[in-house]
Amino acid sequence: MHTISKILNAPPEETLDPDSWDDVHDLSHQIIDDAIGYLRDVRDRPVWQDMPSGTKTFFTTPLPQSPVPLADVYQQVTNTVMLYPMGNIHPRFWAWYMGSSNFTGALGDFLAAIQGSNLGGGNHAAALMDNQVIDWCKEMMGFPVSASGTLVSGGSMANIIGLTVARNVMAGVDVRELGVAAMERPLRFYGSDQVHSCHRKAMESLGLGNQALRRIATNGELRIDLAALRRAILEDRAAGYRPACIIGTAGTVNTGAIDDLDALATIAEEEGLWFHVDGCIGALIAISPHNAHRVAGIERADSLALDPHKWLHAPFEAGCALVRDAGLHRGAFAVTPEYLETAPRGLASAAWLHEYGLQTSRGFKALKIWMALKEHGIEKFGRLIDQNIEQGHYLSALIKAEPLLELVAPTTINIVCYRYRRAGLDDGRLKILNIEIMLRLQESGVAALSDTTVHGAHCLRVAINNHRTRRQDLDLLVRETIRIGELIG
Ligand SMILES: *Cc1c(COP(=O)(O)O)cnc(C)c1O
């Protein structure tokens, strides 16, 4: 037992707050000024550059024991992290598939951290804003008001949320209580051979196994072959499996192909299957004035994954899962222990947001999305999506017009697959040459692309999910690809 006098003799109590708020004022303003300059001048810097060895070893320094002034800490960040970014905020970053962030979203992330709420739920304003952003996502996707949703780290988690609900609903047993071993028939899920790798992770972590996901062949446009899908479902039923879920992809990661979502919804309906759409790339095309028709049928999904950190350019991370039937969604995740019961009034007098996913504590991701949507309005985001798709077709036209380059897959939206070609080189040599071009483009800081293989053909892949890209950047890419290709000789 501590006596009062012992407590009074104890060392002074501490906090993480600064000794004087005046001390952090100037530095904080400096950080904001630097941040503005950093984004304003991003075009003048290389897209990417490799780190010198000094920077690499900097990150092996030991666990700090004693204090360092914040100004020095910031200086260390400036000299390392800020100098060597991945590059996805740059106008000529087109590798993989990312968003290019935005300043308002960054302010949102800052304010979310300052305000500090835990979005596990509760009766407070951030929770209402989280709900409102979900409502806005439902509206953008044409989902009913009665649908539910949750903001998660990204598309991979959003897909896992949707597929978990699908598994539980289709299992035929109480899979939450009894586990997958109790299922009478193994479940089968269906996606195209272009399906994103996160679905494999989902199958594995759901205990169904990778083989439970049947990859259905795609046609020349890289869209799922509907007849092959119907055959596979019949075959599986006859073989004693339980066909459970069709995964439609709205924008494949390889080429941007969009499955015929309407037809998939109809097949799912006829066969009594769950219909999940992976819309991480393309769901948001639904808000674009000129291209929305490409994702017709998305509103018929039972569950849908979309990715605000892609085409809404929210700073990482922000993904969103929507589920048409809120009861089924909550039924897949809700577990309310006695210490998380709701109260009639006060802080706990609201539905818990953690009942719609795997996390308990949740960050305040809604604010960065909410602020950017408010500032620009949804019409502008729709136009920016059209702009990227138009740029994809512009680049595609440049490539078609250029004898030294060839398209390797049809361009549907904002992903362009092409390669440098040279007479007399077989596919293996062409691949080596094109990889070298890609690496030199990256290392020179001119552009960041990635590569892939489409129906057996290796290619360079340009994914223009970038509100800073201009057509002149694509002109430069074509010139540089050819220049480097000729240089390699
Ligand atoms: C990006 C992407 C994912 C994964 O999303 P993350 O946000 O990276 O987790 C899933 N599916 C498709 C089609 C994607 O493009």
Side-chain angles (χ1 to χ4, degrees):
M1 273 291 285
H2 283 287
T3 62
I4 296 285
S5 72
K6 259 187 185 159
I7 292 171
L8 290 176
N9 285 334
E13 290 161 302
E14 292 192 286
T15 168
L16 294 176
D17 284 337
D19 294 336
S20 152
W21 286 103
D22 289 341
D23 291 349
V24 292
H25 177 275
D26 289 354
L27 178 63
S28 304
H29 283 256
Q30 183 62 50
I31 290 175
I32 290 284
D33 287 345
D34 293 350
I36 290 170
Y38 190 80
L39 270 196
R40 183 194 55 216
D41 302 334
V42 61
R43 180 176 279 283
D44 304 334
R45 295 195 296 272
V47 179
W48 174 85
Q49 52 186 333
D50 206 354
M51 292 164 279
S53 60
T55 303
K56 289 179 178 167
T57 54
F58 173 78
F59 293 106
T60 62
T61 48
L63 178 66
Q65 302 291 337
S66 42
V68 170
L70 181 58
D72 296 350
V73 174
Y74 175 57
Q75 200 56 52
Q76 291 176 358
V77 171
T78 305
N79 293 342
T80 56
V81 171
M82 299 307 283
L83 275 184
Y84 301 102
M86 181 180 229
N88 50 297
I89 63 167
H90 193 283
R92 288 189 302 276
F93 185 95
W94 306 302
W96 306 296
Y97 200 97
M98 316 211 170
S100 43
S101 199
N102 74 93
F103 185 68
T104 303
L107 292 176
D109 255 353
F110 174 72
L111 290 173
I114 292 291
Q115 200 261 14
S117 293
N118 184 331
L119 272 287
N123 176 27
H124 53 88
L128 292 183
M129 183 179 278
D130 189 281
N131 275 325
Q132 186 178 29
V133 167
I134 291 297
D135 283 343
W136 288 350
C137 289
K138 282 153 40 179
E139 190 177 334
M140 288 190 275
M141 293 301 116
F143 264 48
V145 192
S146 59
S148 54
T150 185
L151 293 175
V152 290
S153 55
S156 303
M157 274 311 302
N159 280 310
I160 287 181
I161 297 288
L163 298 181
T164 304
V165 183
R167 180 199 62 180
N168 292 10
V169 170
M170 299 302 294
V173 295
D174 182 352
V175 79
R176 288 191 66 184
E177 202 55 43
L178 302 172
V180 289
M183 295 187 316
E184 284 158 18
R185 288 184 289 153
L187 300 187
R188 278 286 167 109
F189 286 50
Y190 306 86
S192 85
D193 59 19
Q194 301 294 305
V195 85
H196 189 274
S197 56
C198 74
H199 297 281
R200 172 178 180 155
K201 280 196 197 172
M203 289 297 116
E204 291 172 3
S205 59
L206 289 174
L208 300 173
N210 180 37
Q211 289 180 11
L213 175 56
R214 265 191 85 160
R215 275 77 165 177
I216 307 297
T218 45
N219 60 23
E221 292 177 304
L222 287 305
R223 306 171 88 194
I224 192 167
D225 179 334
L226 299 169
L229 170 63
R230 283 185 188 277
R231 280 199 302 278
I233 294 172
L234 278 179
E235 233 172 69
D236 283 349
R237 239 190 217 115
Y241 294 101
R242 184 196 290 269
C245 173
I246 299 173
I247 302 169
T249 302
T252 61
V253 69
N254 266 339
T255 70
I258 298 170
D259 288 338
D260 185 341
L261 302 178
D262 240 337
L264 291 181
T266 301
I267 295 176
E269 225 169 73
E270 288 171 4
E271 299 284 347
L273 271 57
W274 187 270
F275 181 38
H276 175 82
V277 172
D278 178 351
C280 291
I281 287 179
L284 284 156
I285 293 176
I287 64 169
S288 78
H290 297 306
N291 289 281
H293 63 93
R294 296 181 190 276
V295 293
I298 201 165
E299 71 290 346
R300 296 174 65 191
D302 293 304
S303 55
L304 168 62
L306 66 146
D307 232 353
H309 63 207
K310 286 177 179 170
W311 244 331
L312 292 182
H313 304 291
F316 292 118
E317 309 162 335
C320 175
L322 298 181
V323 181
R324 170 173 307 281
D325 184 324
L328 297 179
H329 185 183
R330 189 174 172 281
F333 297 105
V335 269
T336 302
E338 60 283 4
Y339 50 84
L340 287 176
E341 276 169 11
T342 51
R345 296 196 314 283
L347 183 52
S349 63
W352 290 108
L353 299 172
H354 63 68
E355 295 187 329
Y356 295 88
L358 294 163
Q359 293 175 253
T360 307
S361 291
R362 299 174 62 242
F364 187 10
K365 296 179 196 315
L367 184 55
K368 59 190 166 191
I369 303 171
W370 192 95
M371 283 177 66
L373 284 174
K374 274 274 185 183
E375 182 195 13
H376 298 291
I378 202 63
E379 291 179 357
K380 173 141 184 201
F381 282 100
R383 290 198 303 276
L384 286 171
I385 289 170
D386 276 342
Q387 176 172 300
N388 280 165
I389 294 175
E390 193 276 332
Q391 288 167 337
H393 288 276
Y394 174 78
L395 175 60
S396 189
L398 291 180
I399 289 164
K400 277 186 200 152
E402 182 50 66
L404 288 169
L405 304 178
E406 70 178 332
L407 281 181
V408 172
T411 303
T412 310
I413 48 174
N414 58 337
I415 299 179
V416 181
C417 294
Y418 76 101
R419 65 181 172 186
Y420 181 84
R421 67 176 168 195
R422 177 175 301 156
L425 286 194
D426 62 18
D427 277 1
R429 313 279 307 174
L430 269 183
K431 178 171 175 178
I432 293 168
L433 175 59
N434 276 278
I435 289 175
E436 185 59 26
I437 292 174
M438 172 181 78
L439 297 180
R440 290 197 195 185
L441 282 167
Q442 289 175 4
E443 285 166 344
S444 63
V446 167
L449 325 177
S450 52
D451 62 341
T452 190
T453 300
V454 179
H455 280 184
H458 175 264
C459 56
L460 303 178
R461 179 177 161 288
V462 184
I464 315 169
N465 195 266
N466 194 319
H467 58 89
R468 300 192 176 95
T469 298
R470 295 292 170 259
R471 279 189 289 272
Q472 78 206 27
D473 295 311
L474 301 168
D475 297 337
L476 178 67
L477 171 66
V478 168
R479 282 200 309 275
E480 283 294 295
T481 304
I482 293 170
R483 191 185 65 79
I484 297 169
E486 306 213 297
L487 207 68
I488 294 171

